Amino acid sequence: MRKIFLLTLLFTVSSFALTLNQVRADLKNASVSGDSVEMKIRTTVNTVSGKQVVSVYVVQKSKSKMYTEIKTSFMNQRTVVNENRMKVIDLNTNKVQLLPYNGEALEALSYTRFNPLDSGDWKEPKFVSENLYSIEGPKGTLYYDAKKKRIEKMESDDEKKSVLTTFAYDGEGKFKSMNVVVNANGVETSVFTEILLLRSSVKFPDRLFEF
C-alpha cells in the first residue's frame, strides 16, 4: 500500500512539473508579438565616470518593415527598413544614406531584448518554493514565478564579477522595467531600462516605411 501511495504521489508531482518549453510559451503569450510591435524605451547607464541616457523608439511591422530611432548624447539617428532596402538618417545633420539590407540586426533592436530565454542552452526548471522556480543557463540562474508567469530576477557570480538583474511589472502584470547591476573589482555599474510604450504596431502608418 505504501509503495502504491509513493508511486501515486510521484506521478502527481511529475504531472504538474514545470518544463522549460512551458515557461517559454507562457512568456511568449504574455508579450506583444515581436513582428508587430511599437515600443519606446529609455535606458540609463550609471558608471563611476557619469551617467548616459539612451532613448530608443522601435516599430516592427512584419519581418520586412522596421522603423527605429536611437538618441544619445553623441548620436541621433533614424533607420527605416523596407524589404531589402534601408535608409539611415542622421537627425542632427539630416544626412541620408540609402543602403542594401541583408537582415542584419539593427543597433536599436538590442535594447528590446528582455527575455534571457530567447537564446542559449537553459536547463529544466527546478522547484525553489511555492510558485518560484530556478532555471540555470549560460547567463546565470533565472528565477521564474509560475503563478504570475513572469521572470523575477536573474543572477550570476564568478571570481571576476557578479551580476544581478531584477524585473519590475505594473499593476496589471505587464513588464515595466529591468535593472542590471554589475559589481566588478569593487566597482558598481547599473543599467536601468524602462518601457515607456509597448503596444501593437497595427495602427502605425505604412507610408513611413516608404522611400
Side-chain angles (χ1 to χ4, degrees):
M1 180 66 70
R2 183 181 177 185
K3 187 175 182 180
I4 295 174
F5 172 76
L6 290 175
L7 288 173
T8 303
L9 179 62
L10 179 62
F11 175 78
T12 302
V13 171
S14 299
S15 65
F16 288 100
L18 187 68
T19 67
L20 182 60
N21 285 338
Q22 183 181 342
V23 173
R24 283 176 165 155
D26 288 341
L27 292 174
K28 184 177 181 180
N29 290 336
S31 64
V32 178
S33 172
D35 294 339
S36 179
V37 65
E38 181 179 3
M39 303 179 69
K40 286 183 182 178
I41 304 163
R42 180 170 61 222
T43 296
T44 304
V45 182
N46 287 293
T47 67
V48 291
S49 58
K51 181 172 72 173
Q52 172 71 40
V53 179
V54 182
S55 297
V56 177
Y57 177 59
V58 174
V59 178
Q60 187 158 0
K61 210 168 187 182
S62 80
K63 293 182 179 180
S64 61
K65 292 183 179 180
M66 286 178 282
Y67 180 105
T68 72
E69 291 183 0
I70 182 168
K71 183 177 182 179
T72 69
S73 59
F74 55 87
M75 179 174 66
N76 190 8
Q77 179 179 284
R78 176 184 300 150
T79 303
V80 182
V81 171
N82 191 340
E83 299 293 344
N84 60 354
R85 299 176 299 133
M86 179 168 65
K87 179 168 73 172
V88 181
I89 306 169
D90 185 324
L91 296 175
N92 290 327
T93 64
N94 289 322
K95 180 181 178 181
V96 177
Q97 289 180 285
L98 296 178
L99 304 167
Y101 178 70
N102 60 7
E104 70 270 17
L106 302 181
E107 182 179 357
L109 295 179
S110 65
Y111 291 91
T112 68
R113 295 171 188 148
F114 309 113
N115 183 359
L117 295 178
D118 279 343
S119 62
D121 185 17
W122 294 84
K123 296 181 180 179
E124 290 296 323
K126 293 181 179 179
F127 178 76
V128 177
S129 62
E130 294 187 5
N131 303 305
L132 193 65
Y133 290 77
S134 66
I135 306 174
E136 295 180 6
K139 299 176 182 178
T141 302
L142 177 151
Y143 292 87
Y144 178 78
D145 189 314
K147 183 177 181 180
K148 296 179 180 178
K149 298 184 178 180
R150 67 193 196 189
I151 301 170
E152 297 293 345
K153 66 177 181 178
M154 186 172 71
E155 56 188 17
S156 65
D157 195 0
D158 58 38
E159 46 186 41
K160 292 184 178 180
K161 68 179 185 297
S162 64
V163 183
L164 174 63
T165 303
T166 52
F167 299 80
Y169 303 82
D170 63 18
E172 298 179 351
K174 295 180 180 178
F175 180 61
K176 183 179 179 182
S177 64
M178 178 178 73
N179 190 42
V180 182
V181 178
V182 181
N183 279 289
N185 299 318
V187 179
E188 182 175 290
T189 300
S190 67
V191 181
F192 181 63
T193 302
E194 304 170 84
I195 307 299
L196 306 178
L197 173 69
L198 177 60
R199 63 188 180 191
S200 169
S201 62
V202 64
K203 294 184 179 180
F204 188 81
D206 286 324
R207 59 181 174 79
L208 295 180
F209 294 105
E210 297 175 0
F211 57 91

